[in-house]
Amino acid sequence: MIMLHLLSFISFLAYTICCFEISEKEDLEKVWGQDWPFSGINTYAHLPHDRCLIDKNLTFDVGIIGIPYDSSVSYRPGARFGPQAIRAASQRQFSYRGFNFRAGINPYQQWAKVIDCGDVPVTPMDSSLALKMMTAAFDNLLSRESAYEGSSMPPRLVSLGGDHSIILPIIRNLYKVYGPITVLHFDSHLDTWSPEKYPSYWQSEASEFNHGSMLWMAKEEGLLSEHNIHAGLRTRLSGTDWSDYLEDDHLGFHRIESDEILKIGLDGIIGKIRRLLPKNSPVYISVDIDVLDPSAAPGTGTVEVGGWLTRELVYILRSLEDVFIVGADVVEVSPPFDQSEITALAASQIVYELVTSMVKGGPIDPDMVKANIEGAPELSNDESKVFFEDAREGEFLK
């Protein structure tokens, strides 16, 4: 009798183990697929990763793309390590716990397929070649189809810089899709300086492209609208007068200085931006992390005291979620000058807010794109000085 009970128990135990193993094999993703914030390979917010530049059959709706380039800085380098740092600082973000309480959605569990596209392998040794590579890379990425069946437009990208010069190759390619682009530029610096404002006996075509001249170049190439905005300015100017501002006016930029937040408050800043932005026009949001005060973002290349706080910038971005956003970047994160990931953490949060706004706004309306293109004046070669034209003529493979 005892032997019979023992055999029954052994049989039951064997059956239980067998069933557990079968169940485990049937759902290994459930058993082993969830990482802790400190485990797993670093992708932005633990998102799925694909090398988007290589797989041309890949479709997605919002892609995080790193651009580890800093060969065009004028002061402190290190931003080539920015994409790594931003990804590492985003590891407490998960699709499961990604609900944005400010926006009322989880951007990772909506209609959009959001992925980490890896990095553009930009050369650090030749800025002319780097510009060609970045231009070709975004031509490649914007030639894709969105994953969402209800969208006829290409996917949107949030770029992790890198220094701020990366905006020029991005805008070049966005212009091909959307027509003239309105840039909402959060920065402590103008970045519309003519290359002549960088005085040196030694000049070359390549030296004209740097992280303070790229918006001047974009305007000279005819890529921008007449309603662009700087927000958070507090830079020193050239010479003994306001000539930098006068040239900025000529390029079609409006200015919101950092100190204005003390006079008109956050809602005043937001109201001013909304009044200046054209309605239903494609907007590119570019966030230089040095728009924040060094106390909130010490890890950057060209620090300027007296900036905004991360909380204030996030509030402003969230209040602009209904803007027609066609792309965005967060640039100038320089980990060698960061402490305790302060700057990288701020950048990772800003990326999250930008992705949230893109997803909450829904797929891009092609009718708005058509209206913007049809309303844009045609530019002849005489009307637009074009730099590095070979990069726009298909010299490099898509």
Side-chain angles (χ1 to χ4, degrees), residues 130-164:
L131 179 55
K132 293 176 183 179
M133 292 176 69
M134 291 185 283
T135 303
F138 277 85
D139 190 26
N140 175 324
L141 294 167
L142 290 170
S143 68
R144 311 303 179 80
E145 295 182 354
S146 294
Y148 182 63
E149 292 182 358
S151 175
S152 60
M153 302 303 297
R156 282 175 281 183
L157 297 155
V158 178
S159 302
L160 313 180
D163 72 50
H164 213 158

Side-chain angles (χ1 to χ4, degrees), residues 70-234:
D70 65 0
S71 298
S72 294
V73 298
S74 58
Y75 194 48
R76 302 193 308 197
R80 69 183 63 179
F81 298 103
Q84 290 181 1
I86 296 170
R87 287 188 175 103
S90 74
Q91 293 310 289
R92 287 188 64 245
Q93 289 190 46
F94 282 96
S95 174
Y96 169 73
R97 188 167 290 166
F99 185 81
N100 190 324
F101 76 92
R102 296 180 176 93
I105 68 164
N106 182 335
Y108 308 129
Q109 295 187 20
Q110 295 290 315
W111 60 272
K113 179 182 177 182
V114 186
I115 66 172
D116 189 324
C117 283
D119 290 345
V120 179
V122 191
T123 177
M125 294 169 284
D126 183 332
S127 60
S128 294
L129 180 59
L131 179 55
K132 293 176 183 179
M133 292 176 69
M134 291 185 283
T135 303
F138 277 85
D139 190 26
N140 175 324
L141 294 167
L142 290 170
S143 68
R144 311 303 179 80
E145 295 182 354
S146 294
Y148 182 63
E149 292 182 358
S151 175
S152 60
M153 302 303 297
R156 282 175 281 183
L157 297 155
V158 178
S159 302
L160 313 180
D163 72 50
H164 213 158
S165 65
I166 69 167
I167 191 176
L168 178 60
I170 298 171
I171 295 295
R172 281 178 170 177
N173 286 285
L174 289 174
Y175 176 85
K176 297 177 191 176
V177 178
Y178 299 104
I181 303 297
T182 295
V183 173
L184 175 53
H185 176 227
F186 291 95
D187 202 323
S188 62
H189 307 97
L190 290 169
D191 291 352
T192 53
W193 282 294
S194 162
E196 296 176 356
K197 290 297 180 82
Y198 289 86
S200 174
Y201 174 82
W202 302 96
Q203 298 284 336
S204 71
E205 186 178 37
S207 69
E208 294 183 345
F209 171 61
N210 61 66
H211 73 159
S213 67
M214 70 290 172
L215 290 177
W216 179 85
M217 294 174 68
K219 185 61 177 179
E220 289 292 295
E221 292 185 20
L223 309 177
L224 305 183
S225 77
E226 298 297 326
H227 306 283
N228 308 287
I229 302 171
H230 304 296
L233 291 175
R234 55 192 186 277

Side-chain angles (χ1 to χ4, degrees), residues 25 221 243 310 387 390:
K25 289 177 182 178
E221 292 185 20
S243 60
T310 309
F387 292 84
D390 55 348

Side-chain angles (χ1 to χ4, degrees), residues 380-397:
S380 68
N381 288 334
D382 294 335
E383 293 171 319
S384 174
K385 181 181 178 184
V386 178
F387 292 84
F388 303 96
E389 185 67 33
D390 55 348
R392 302 177 65 197
E393 291 292 335
E395 180 188 45
F396 285 75
L397 294 176

Side-chain angles (χ1 to χ4, degrees), residues 304-332:
E304 303 285 358
V305 299
W308 291 342
L309 301 179
T310 309
R311 176 188 61 204
E312 295 166 348
L313 180 58
V314 168
Y315 183 81
I316 293 169
L317 290 172
R318 282 267 49 85
S319 300
L320 300 171
E321 63 182 16
D322 58 339
V323 169
F324 178 14
I325 304 173
V326 296
D329 65 53
V330 180
V331 298
E332 299 285 354

